[in-house]
Amino acid sequence: MTTKVATLDDLIDDFVESYPPSSTDPVVFLGEQFDRGLAWVHFPVGNGGLGLSPADQVHALSRLATLHAPTAVMRNVIGYGMVAPTLVTHGTEEQKARFLRPLFTGEEIWCQLFSEPGSGSDVASLSTRAERDGDEWLLNGQKVWTTLAHIAAFGLIIARSNPDVPKHKGITAFLVDMHAPGVEVLPLYQVTGEAEFNECFFTDVRVPDSRRLGDVGEGWGVSITTLMNERVSIGGTVPPRSSGLIGEALKIWQQRWASRTDAHAIAVRSELMAAWVRNEVGRLTNWRASDLRRAGTPGPEGSVAKLAFAEENQRTSELCVNLLGSEGMLYGSTYPQIRPSESAMTGGDMRKAFLRMRANSIEGGTSEVMRNILGERVLGLAGEPRNDKDVAWKDVPRS
Ligand SMILES: Cc1cc2nc3c(=O)[nH]c(=O)nc-3n(C[C@H](O)[C@H](O)[C@H](O)COP(=O)(O)OP(=O)(O)OC[C@H]3O[C@@H](n4cnc5c(N)ncnc54)[C@H](O)[C@@H]3O)c2cc1C
């Protein structure tokens, strides 16, 4: 007698047959997807996964996308792309059991509290303090540019637990309740007119030791997992061919330019085709990288993809606005509509996308920093001088 082994496709078929994506409540659908191990198939069994490869995850995502299945990534972009892999890598069994499922269903939104007014690219120099007080920790300090903190239930925060050792060694990570006493969240408005991000103030915020993520003083390793996943999450996805911004550019060209045969239109078509080829090369490169990637912390290829994505997004959104002609300038009603945003993803109006994409070369690490990583880790070039590497954090001069 032979036993039939269910393939990933069989499992997806069975799932969508029992829970039709178009008629099932999104939270029920996503909860069931998690329980069947189809949330992140490359995560371990019991954590929303099946212990398969990152390439299988790309396959599962694209199959569900073609069925227009509900997804929490749009609303819980930080939780889904960054916090979840960090929890799986560094979390205790209790933490994984408590947090992963409601994160995936979008019932609990997450934010990432790394950047500070004086510590962005050099985030390891951060000043927010974490002091032990019995079974708890007291957090004091300020974070900034915190995406979706205004709707977040929890945040992944890194703080300085030991100022007497060099900067990378005295950091500890925590899972902080964003509604705890002492947490204050204030919106920061962007050029789009929306506030996706915030400044966050922490005044004597108590965090139980059971919400510490990783060992005391090991927060830098935790944050590397988050940052490398952030870069893959921003730049390393494999969307369907001709979708996203380049799909929008094609649509605008079809509507406004395709019937024209004058020299200007032909030149515009060449520009569009060059952009299509660049987007397709990026997509196929990410596909190949996802095939080679092993489960765990992604390598520097995520930084390369993030750099390429940022530059291409800015060029393609600029092309969209140019294709719109004078209408491209009419994103004018922004400031009267100024409001906190419910998501950190841009869709729809290409004039808004053009403005939003300016941030792509800053968020998740700037393009200059990505080039440093590419130079040092991929090309093996000499590293930057790092004078504070072996000096206790408290002895490093700062303003
Ligand atoms: C839309 C958006 C969303 C964000 N969301 C979050 C979030 O949710 N959580 C969070 O923690 N942070 C978030 N950030 C913050 C982001 O990570 C930082 O802005 C980024 O790391 C840069 O830090 P900075 O702004 O302090 O700039 P700085 O580090 O002060 O850099 C200023 C300039 O100097 C350059 N520079 C700095 N160091 C070097 C170097 N070594 N070599 C060459 N050039 C260098 C930079 O490239 C940049 O041009 C977000 C930012 C944006 C724009």
Side-chain angles (χ1 to χ4, degrees):
M1 197 179 86
T2 56
T3 318
K4 188 173 178 294
V5 178
T7 64
L8 179 55
D9 279 317
D10 293 336
L11 294 173
I12 295 172
D13 288 342
D14 184 58
F15 170 44
V16 296
E17 211 178 291
S18 314
Y19 293 84
S22 56
S23 55
T24 308
D25 172 76
V27 172
V28 173
F29 183 92
L30 292 165
E32 186 65 23
Q33 185 180 346
F34 182 92
D35 295 340
R36 289 175 180 236
L38 295 170
W40 295 277
V41 301
H42 58 312
F43 280 11
V45 174
N47 295 159
L50 296 168
L52 302 179
S53 72
D56 289 318
Q57 172 66 359
V58 172
H59 175 71
L61 280 180
S62 82
R63 276 220 50 205
L64 290 167
T66 55
L67 298 167
H68 305 290
T71 158
V73 64
M74 296 293 274
R75 237 183 128 236
N76 204 4
V77 60
I78 307 285
Y80 183 89
M82 294 143 225
V83 177
T86 312
L87 265 172
V88 161
T89 311
H90 301 279
T92 61
E93 290 311 314
E94 287 79 19
Q95 288 168 345
K96 291 183 230 179
R98 163 65 186 84
F99 291 117
L100 281 169
R101 195 178 189 279
L103 180 159
F104 185 74
T105 60
E107 288 164 289
E108 287 175 352
I109 306 294
W110 281 75
C111 64
Q112 171 192 337
L113 299 141
F114 285 16
S115 303
E116 297 183 4
S119 303
S121 299
D122 183 15
V123 70
S125 68
L126 58 86
S127 307
T128 294
R129 286 300 313 273
E131 286 164 291
R132 186 94 194 217
D133 183 22
D135 281 347
E136 294 181 320
W137 293 79
L138 273 183
L139 294 182
N140 279 288
Q142 185 194 345
K143 297 288 177 178
V144 74
W145 319 126
T146 318
T147 300
L148 299 183
H150 54 286
I151 55 168
F154 293 98
L156 168 57
I157 189 167
I158 48 175
R160 184 146 316 276
S161 48
N162 184 356
D164 298 324
V165 293
K167 61 181 180 181
H168 293 102
K169 298 190 176 143
I171 297 173
T172 302
F174 301 92
L175 310 170
V176 63
D177 179 348
M178 291 302 286
H179 298 119
V183 180
E184 192 184 1
V185 177
L186 299 176
L188 288 167
Y189 290 96
Q190 289 151 271
V191 68
T192 53
E194 291 186 343
E196 286 175 18
F197 53 29
N198 305 268
E199 350 180 50
C200 298
F201 298 88
F202 294 83
T203 311
D204 288 337
V205 176
R206 290 191 171 270
V207 183
D209 191 52
S210 58
R211 295 274 167 95
R212 170 167 47 78
L213 185 60
D215 289 338
V216 175
E218 296 298 327
W220 185 244
V222 173
S223 55
I224 290 294
T225 304
T226 312
L227 292 171
M228 295 314 254
N229 278 289
E230 178 171 31
R231 285 158 199 172
V232 169
S233 166
I234 293 177
T237 54
V238 186
R241 174 178 280 177
S242 299
S243 66
L245 287 177
I246 194 65
E248 293 297 328
L250 286 168
K251 248 189 257 165
I252 302 169
W253 182 80
Q254 283 289 355
Q255 286 158 2
R256 292 168 183 251
W257 295 83
S259 59
R260 283 175 53 175
T261 53
D262 55 286
H264 184 193
I266 290 168
V268 165
R269 192 180 59 187
S270 302
E271 205 187 329
L272 176 65
M273 285 304 101
W276 189 89
V277 170
R278 288 195 308 271
N279 275 272
E280 186 60 8
V281 168
R283 197 181 76 87
L284 295 176
T285 305
N286 283 350
W287 197 346
R288 194 178 47 171
S290 76
D291 248 351
L292 297 174
R293 197 175 299 135
R294 297 281 154 263
T297 304
E301 77 280 358
S303 305
V304 178
K306 198 265 167 184
L307 171 64
F309 164 90
E311 297 198 339
E312 196 45 55
N313 260 6
Q314 291 178 350
R315 286 171 85 174
T316 309
S317 59
E318 191 171 334
L319 174 64
C320 288
V321 169
N322 287 342
L323 289 172
L324 285 168
S326 52
E327 265 182 58
M329 295 184 283
L330 294 179
Y331 185 64
S333 56
T334 300
Y335 293 99
Q337 292 173 5
I338 206 157
R339 64 188 182 282
S341 172
E342 283 294 301
S343 104
M345 310 286 270
T346 306
D349 193 323
M350 282 303 105
R351 296 163 297 191
K352 179 180 164 198
F354 167 74
L355 296 172
R356 175 60 182 81
M357 297 311 161
R358 302 299 102 191
N360 283 174
S361 46
I362 305 172
E363 60 196 323
T366 69
S367 289
E368 289 78 15
V369 169
M370 294 306 111
R371 285 194 165 84
N372 283 349
I373 294 171
L374 173 58
E376 291 181 25
R377 306 247 197 95
V378 181
L379 302 178
L381 303 178
E384 290 193 310
R386 294 185 172 95
N387 301 331
D388 58 353
K389 208 163 80 77
D390 300 316
V391 182
W393 177 84
K394 69 174 175 8
D395 297 330
V396 177
R398 59 181 59 81
S399 54

